[in-house]
Amino acid sequence: MLEDIEEILIDGKAIQTRVKELGEEISRRYENKDLLLVCILKGGIMFMADLSRCITIPCEFDFMAVTSYGEATESSGVVRILKDLDKSIQNRHVLIIEDVVDTGLTLKYLVKNLENRRPASLKVCSLLNKKAHRKADVKIDFVGFDIPDKFVIGYGLDYAGKYRNLPFISVLKPKIYTTC
Ligand code: IMP
Ligand code: MG
């Protein structure tokens, strides 16, 4: 697996340091509020698991899965819900946990969809923010790292379903996805 990696962009230690800061910030911001973390599967899973353990106030989990890229590395712009939330979010303070916001098309769809369910508040926390190809005007309330316009893998992020288990954020060697 390591031979497929071009460079490590953010190592595991830097991720954990930033995740802890975000957890503290979120805990302060939602103090005395009934917080519901909504993890966007599958990419958000590592971030959700680590971030939630750095949140010091009570919170609940729910999960949603949407399609974005399929097996390509560019957004199709087509978003479809594969798995919906288990419970109503009406009057709940909802925080969306995303792995990366790239074009913003997925997030725009998600925010619109969840806003229609009348939560008490709806905010977004994304580990990574890739601004270069932004197509939709979306607000990200908590950002882990701004990253350059590169296709990244690891710490939940995949290419064709693989590499999610890498403990760092890295750049895939271009030949992997230009020749297949
Ligand atoms: P967007 O709709 O273009 O903002 O893309 C959102 C989704 O595409 C993310 O939640 C990821 O699942 C996926 N994605 C975007 N960029 C990357 C990347 O660099 N590596 C892996 N997945 C990505
Ligand atoms: Mg995602």
Side-chain angles (χ1 to χ4, degrees):
M1 194 161 55
L2 293 177
E3 62 276 8
D4 299 340
I5 290 164
E6 185 162 82
E7 60 169 313
I8 294 180
L9 215 55
I10 310 165
D11 66 29
K13 203 166 166 233
I15 295 173
Q16 294 311 324
T17 303
R18 185 70 189 120
V19 166
K20 190 162 186 290
E21 286 171 1
L22 285 172
E24 287 165 359
E25 197 184 333
I26 290 165
S27 304
R28 279 195 302 273
R29 193 81 74 87
Y30 286 92
E31 203 171 0
N32 301 320
K33 292 211 169 94
D34 179 25
L35 174 62
L36 175 68
L37 302 176
V38 170
C39 175
I40 308 305
L41 295 171
K42 301 169 185 162
I45 186 165
M46 302 290 184
F47 185 37
M48 172 87 154
D50 286 342
L51 178 69
S52 61
R53 282 177 288 184
C54 295
I55 292 178
T56 52
I57 58 165
C59 60
E60 280 181 47
F61 291 7
D62 208 339
F63 298 87
M64 205 165 166
V66 292
T67 53
S68 50
Y69 289 2
E71 298 208 346
T73 57
E74 276 179 36
S75 179
S76 62
V78 178
V79 181
R80 193 161 58 92
I81 296 178
L82 300 176
K83 186 230 170 278
D84 208 341
L85 299 173
D86 288 344
K87 285 194 195 163
S88 163
I89 57 167
Q90 194 170 347
N91 300 326
R92 305 293 308 272
H93 291 282
V94 176
L95 182 60
I96 297 175
I97 309 295
E98 258 285 24
D99 51 358
V100 55
V101 180
D102 183 11
T103 62
L105 293 170
T106 307
L107 186 59
K108 190 180 174 194
Y109 171 86
L110 275 172
V111 166
K112 197 167 168 241
N113 185 290
L114 296 185
E115 258 170 5
N116 283 338
R117 306 182 195 195
R118 289 176 287 149
S121 70
L122 181 63
K123 291 194 190 300
V124 178
C125 177
S126 183
L127 176 69
L128 306 176
N129 185 21
K130 253 204 288 190
K131 292 183 196 156
H133 288 158
R134 194 59 47 85
K135 289 183 186 155
D137 185 22
V138 285
K139 183 170 179 244
I140 312 175
D141 302 279
F142 306 92
V143 175
F145 302 91
D146 287 311
I147 60 163
D149 181 22
K150 289 183 171 171
F151 194 83
V152 293
I153 50 166
Y155 196 71
L157 292 113
D158 73 306
Y159 171 66
K162 297 202 171 64
Y163 308 104
R164 295 190 197 277
N165 56 323
L166 291 170
F168 44 74
I169 307 280
S170 49
V171 180
L172 192 61
K173 273 186 188 157
K175 69 178 176 69
I176 308 291
Y177 51 87
T178 52
T179 57
C180 57

